[in-house]
Amino acid sequence: MKANHSTEERFLLLGFSDWRSLQPVLLALVLPCYLVTLTSNSPLVLLAVRDPRLHTPMYYFLCHLALVDAGFITSVVPPLLASLRGPALSLQRRGCKSLALGSAECVLLAVMALDPAQGQGKFCRPLPGASWLGGLTNSAAQTALLAARPLCAPLGVDHFICELPALLKLACSGGRHATERQMFAARVLILLVPSAVILASYGAVALGVWGMRSGGGQRKAMGTCGSHLTAVCLFYGSAIYTYLQPTHSYNQGQGKFVSLFYTVVTPALNPLIYTLSNKVKGAARRLLGSLGRGQAGQ
């Protein structure tokens, strides 16, 4: 029998249409996470640009993370909210942008774990650009591999975003396994290498904390590192579950729930975890104070 090849580049994102009773709950979860991400990251970027005390490598990287998170969640949530309130969405393959931003965040989190504050500013400055370039290159390679494969009907993806494992299931069978192996290698590179860097970095931090003589210093360091590690584990854990399993065993029904963690929950947690420091609070107070004095002087 001849495969029903599709000459169209469009497919349907089914979203959570099979979970009608759960859609109001998801709407109540997703929309606040989206608003928190946008309203938390925008002030962070503003403060880091305006306050000289925040002109450090750490906050330079946090600005880039804020931009990645805001772009990542914006590429995911509006279509998701539309699908929760209406019918399945029809998309073009070239309209899938979320993978590029997710890949960039994978590399950026690994770079941030290297503790750039100990390095020189000139050395740190090109690293975020390299993170963006590495993520976009990996994403472009996987997208090109998938674009070379024709899609076979029915063109329905049981997901709320353009997840490549879900899209690969639509690829026609001839030569699909070779494409799957190549895409799997690219996903190993973008997920496991940064994960190894992060684990090594936190291992070094743990050894340093273990050698501290001050109990208060140990608790403070463990509290800070613990919150950072929680966010990193949520992001990488859910992404690894989604991307590092064979396509034939990928469960789209489970996968879309797991994907909520790294596409919606983690971007909302990042600004809360990384910016609740005394420096950021002090910068916010100084900015509000200067605005208040400016208004009083008018």
Side-chain angles (χ1 to χ4, degrees), residues 11-15 93 96 99 142 146 150-152 154-172 176 180 183 187 241-256 259 262:
F11 58 91
L12 288 177
L13 278 181
L14 303 180
R93 274 205 281 190
C96 297
L99 175 65
Q142 293 191 63
L146 184 60
L151 301 182
C152 287
L155 299 180
V157 178
D158 187 14
H159 217 294
F160 62 91
I161 57 173
C162 309
E163 286 282 28
L164 289 184
L167 278 174
L168 191 56
K169 284 202 165 204
L170 299 181
C172 301
R176 190 178 72 181
E180 181 181 349
M183 291 175 66
R187 296 198 292 268
Y241 172 86
T242 300
Y243 283 99
L244 295 189
Q245 57 176 302
T247 303
H248 63 82
S249 63
Y250 178 71
N251 187 312
Q252 296 186 44
Q254 294 177 1
K256 61 188 177 184
S259 297
Y262 75 89

Side-chain angles (χ1 to χ4, degrees), residues 162-199:
C162 309
E163 286 282 28
L164 289 184
L167 278 174
L168 191 56
K169 284 202 165 204
L170 299 181
C172 301
S173 57
R176 190 178 72 181
H177 295 301
T179 301
E180 181 181 349
R181 286 193 296 270
Q182 292 169 332
M183 291 175 66
F184 186 81
R187 296 198 292 268
V188 166
L189 182 66
I190 203 67
L191 285 170
L192 292 190
V193 173
S195 298
V197 170
I198 291 172
L199 288 175

Side-chain angles (χ1 to χ4, degrees), residues 51-128:
D51 196 306
R53 293 175 180 85
L54 300 184
H55 291 174
T56 64
M58 174 185 174
Y59 290 99
Y60 177 65
F61 280 97
L62 284 177
C63 279
H64 281 273
L65 181 64
L67 293 173
V68 171
D69 278 340
F72 189 25
I73 199 169
T74 299
S75 71
V76 170
V77 168
L80 173 56
L81 293 176
S83 68
L84 290 174
R85 301 292 296 172
L89 296 178
S90 177
L91 292 181
Q92 292 185 330
R93 274 205 281 190
R94 63 174 178 267
C96 297
K97 307 295 184 188
S98 57
L99 175 65
L101 293 167
S103 298
E105 181 157 351
C106 282
V107 184
L108 185 58
L109 287 172
V111 169
M112 290 175 65
L114 294 174
D115 194 10
Q118 295 181 2
Q120 299 296 322
K122 290 183 180 179
F123 173 73
C124 295
R125 193 164 296 277
L127 290 180

Side-chain angles (χ1 to χ4, degrees), residues 190-257:
I190 203 67
L191 285 170
L192 292 190
V193 173
S195 298
V197 170
I198 291 172
L199 288 175
S201 176
Y202 277 105
V205 170
L207 289 176
V209 171
W210 185 261
M212 284 183 177
R213 295 182 179 179
S214 168
Q218 282 186 335
R219 287 191 294 272
K220 183 179 178 181
M222 291 302 294
T224 302
C225 291
S227 59
H228 293 184
L229 195 57
T230 299
V232 167
C233 287
L234 278 175
F235 181 84
Y236 280 99
S238 53
I240 286 172
Y241 172 86
T242 300
Y243 283 99
L244 295 189
Q245 57 176 302
T247 303
H248 63 82
S249 63
Y250 178 71
N251 187 312
Q252 296 186 44
Q254 294 177 1
K256 61 188 177 184
F257 284 99

Side-chain angles (χ1 to χ4, degrees), residues 262-295:
Y262 75 89
T263 58
V264 176
V265 176
T266 303
L269 289 177
N270 280 342
L272 301 178
I273 289 173
Y274 286 105
T275 62
L276 291 180
S277 67
N278 292 330
K279 277 190 176 182
V280 175
K281 293 175 184 176
R285 284 193 295 268
R286 287 188 293 272
L287 177 60
L288 292 175
S290 64
L291 293 175
R293 287 191 297 271
Q295 290 180 351

